[in-house]
């Protein structure tokens, strides 16, 4: 893996990431391919929508069809028919979200398979072996996603456990692909700093910010990013996990983030919640029933070029599968176009002005730039 930092404007960065399966221009958004598929959207449609890199879920794929099955295809790319880069998570996030089913100890996490009830132990070593079998371009260390709210002592012991697991993940990962460390520590700036220092000592190809967008107030999330992102190694890519809305993308890039992923564009699309250059709309609202307007007049995606709001409203009302597909194509294209514009604005050094133009289109006030994490919450 190679990362070139092409320009820096304030804390925002323009970069180029060269991976085993191709080049990714950063800042970039990665749609989620949970079960080895971005729900309802074919690889061909993803490419047309501008997708450069996808996220695959270790947890779901280890349960079905199992890492051994995918290994027979030389990995996830061939299995799912996607030849561009893939990043896989470690499975930790899903394991920890299985409330009352998990048991955490130094060794790893035991849980019951939600598919067949089998008892499964996921450890850093096992998570690395699975991601090696998936042959993703970028693998993530196995860590504990610290919940919110949590006491400082709780956040610290969780962060320390994640650091010990980071060491074991690094030692167990023998693939030539890239491995990223994950900064934890909740919304406590000194814990975030300690986590980053510990990871940097171990040494990774890239660094992620985990444990955000888990229920903390939005300003606390943005302030945590503002504090920690600029301290992450400048010559390595920085990945913000599980974020977010279009404005979260704009604000996270402004604070120094290069890569993001979230289920939001695709999940919302399936619920008829669509992002446009004039703000978010609900396609099932009656106002769209007879509309012959394009979903977004400024969008060049397949959906906007060929179908009306009225038709998308109709498909949604009838629960037609095609509606979910067309809506998902648009939302994904919208997120990717937002990142393409962000890269253009960074190249031409007018990021802040560009961001204000986007917010004006949505009639949205930009979020506050600072937030006091030390003040009583
Ligand atoms: Zn569109």
């Amino acid at each position: 893996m190679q990362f070139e930092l092409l320009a820096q404007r304030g804390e925002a960065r323009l970069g180029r990431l060269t991976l085993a399966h191709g080049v990714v221009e950063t800042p970039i958004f990665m749609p989620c391919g949970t079960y080895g598929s971005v729900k309802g959207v074919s690889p061909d449609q993803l490419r047309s929508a501008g997708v450069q890199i996808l996220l695959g879920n270790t947890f779901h794929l280890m349960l079905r069809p199992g890492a051994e099955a995918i290994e027979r295809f030389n990995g996830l790319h061939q299995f799912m028919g996607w030849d561009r880069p893939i990043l896989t998570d470690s499975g930790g996030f899903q394991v920890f979200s299985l409330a009352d089913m998990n048991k955490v100890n130094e060794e790893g996490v035991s849980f019951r398979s939600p598919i067949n009830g089998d008892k499964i132990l996921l450890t850093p070593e096992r998570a690395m072996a699975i991601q090696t079998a998936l042959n993703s371009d970028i693998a993530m260390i196995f860590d504990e996603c610290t919940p919110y709210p949590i006491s400082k002592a709780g956040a610290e012991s969780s962060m320390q456990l994640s650091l010990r697991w980071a060491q074991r993940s690094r030692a167990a990962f023998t693939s030539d692909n890239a491995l990223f460390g994950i900064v934890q520590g909740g919304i406590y700036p000194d814990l975030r700093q300690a986590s980053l220092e510990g990871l940097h000592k171990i040494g990774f190809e890239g660094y992620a910010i985990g444990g955000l967008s888990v229920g903390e107030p939005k300003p606390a999330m943005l302030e945590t990013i503002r504090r920690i992102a600029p301290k992450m190694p400048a010559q390595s890519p920085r990945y913000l996990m599980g974020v977010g809305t279009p404005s979260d993308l704009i604000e996270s890039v402004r604070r120094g983030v290069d890569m993001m992923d979230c289920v939001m564009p695709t999940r919302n699309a399936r619920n008829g919640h669509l992002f446009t250059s004039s703000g978010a709309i609900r396609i099932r609202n009656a106002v769209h029933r007879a509309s012959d307007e394009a979903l977004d007049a400024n969008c060049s995606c397949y959906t906007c070029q060929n179908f009306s709001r009225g038709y998308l409203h109709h498909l949604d009302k009838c629960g037609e599968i095609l509606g979910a597909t067309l809506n998902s194509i648009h939302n994904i294209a919208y997120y990717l176009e937002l990142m393409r514009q962000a890269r253009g604005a960074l190249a031409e050094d007018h990021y802040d002005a560009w961001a204000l133009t986007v917010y004006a289109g949505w009639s949205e006030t930009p979020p506050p730039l600072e937030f006091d994490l030390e003040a009583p919450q």
Side-chain angles (χ1 to χ4, degrees), residues 21 70-83 86 134-135:
H21 289 85
I70 296 177
E71 198 169 18
R72 265 178 244 135
F73 294 82
N74 296 317
L76 187 53
H77 289 88
Q78 195 184 321
F79 183 61
M80 67 179 286
W82 173 254
D83 58 4
I86 295 176
L134 298 178
N135 196 21

Side-chain angles (χ1 to χ4, degrees), residues 53-76:
I53 175 170
L54 280 185
L55 183 137
N57 282 116
T58 289
F59 174 76
H60 295 292
L61 295 169
M62 71 184 267
L63 298 177
R64 284 183 307 198
E68 296 71 20
I70 296 177
E71 198 169 18
R72 265 178 244 135
F73 294 82
N74 296 317
L76 187 53

Side-chain angles (χ1 to χ4, degrees), residues 18-321:
T18 305
L19 296 162
H21 289 85
V23 172
V24 174
E25 307 289 343
T26 64
I28 192 66
F29 177 80
M30 306 180 280
C32 294
T34 308
Y35 296 100
S37 125
V38 176
K39 288 186 199 305
V41 188
S42 73
D44 206 29
Q45 291 165 329
L46 291 170
R47 274 188 288 270
S48 299
V51 177
Q52 298 184 36
I53 175 170
L54 280 185
L55 183 137
N57 282 116
T58 289
F59 174 76
H60 295 292
L61 295 169
M62 71 184 267
L63 298 177
R64 284 183 307 198
E68 296 71 20
I70 296 177
E71 198 169 18
R72 265 178 244 135
F73 294 82
N74 296 317
L76 187 53
H77 289 88
Q78 195 184 321
F79 183 61
M80 67 179 286
W82 173 254
D83 58 4
R84 291 184 181 178
I86 295 176
L87 178 149
T88 47
D89 65 9
S90 68
F93 183 80
Q94 283 83 10
V95 166
F96 285 102
S97 65
L98 289 174
D100 303 328
M101 293 170 82
N102 64 57
K103 212 173 135 204
V104 185
N105 60 32
E106 191 64 33
E107 175 65 9
V109 186
S110 2
F111 64 99
R112 294 268 176 202
S113 161
I115 310 292
N116 59 15
D118 284 357
K119 201 173 172 200
I120 301 173
L121 174 66
L122 193 56
T123 64
E125 291 76 16
R126 180 78 187 125
M128 295 309 107
I130 296 167
Q131 290 181 87
T132 299
L134 298 178
N135 196 21
S136 48
D137 299 75
I138 300 173
M140 302 301 299
I141 61 161
F142 186 70
D143 70 339
E144 180 173 37
C145 179
T146 309
Y148 180 90
I150 189 169
S151 69
K152 188 165 185 185
E156 179 160 20
S157 77
S158 169
M159 181 271 285
Q160 294 291 357
L161 175 66
S162 287
L163 270 185
R164 295 192 295 276
W165 286 356
Q167 185 84 56
R168 283 168 55 192
S169 296
R170 179 81 272 183
F173 192 75
T174 52
S175 155
D176 290 335
N177 295 326
L179 181 63
F180 282 19
I182 305 174
V183 178
Q184 292 287 353
I187 59 166
Y188 302 101
D190 52 334
L191 297 185
R192 287 274 170 187
Q193 179 68 30
S195 173
L196 175 58
E197 283 167 14
L199 292 168
H200 197 198
K201 263 185 216 146
I202 299 168
F204 294 94
E205 283 74 52
Y207 296 84
I209 304 172
L212 289 181
S213 204
V214 291
E216 76 283 1
K218 181 68 60 87
M221 177 186 93
L222 292 175
E223 180 63 3
T224 300
I225 298 165
R226 189 185 73 84
R227 298 249 196 138
I228 198 69
K231 295 178 180 160
M232 296 163 81
Q235 299 307 319
S236 307
R238 302 165 177 168
Y239 162 32
L240 174 62
M241 305 180 78
V243 175
T245 64
S247 71
D248 291 341
L249 266 58
I250 291 173
E251 295 305 321
S252 301
V253 168
R254 196 202 296 278
R255 289 159 175 77
V257 167
D258 305 313
M259 310 164 68
M260 289 153 285
D261 80 283
C262 192
V263 294
M264 181 171 278
T266 43
R267 180 180 288 168
N268 282 16
R270 295 194 300 278
N271 292 316
H273 186 113
L274 304 173
F275 299 101
T276 80
S277 55
S278 50
I281 68 161
R282 291 202 178 270
I283 200 66
R284 69 188 52 163
N285 286 353
V287 65
H288 303 300
R289 192 177 63 83
S291 170
D292 61 356
E293 274 178 67
L295 173 55
D296 186 344
N298 296 318
C299 179
S300 61
C301 86
Y302 173 71
T303 303
C304 292
Q305 291 303 306
N306 292 282
F307 305 96
S308 63
R309 289 186 177 198
Y311 182 62
L312 297 174
H313 171 89
H314 163 74
L315 293 178
D316 183 86
K317 280 295 216 192
C318 300
E320 270 297 319
I321 297 169

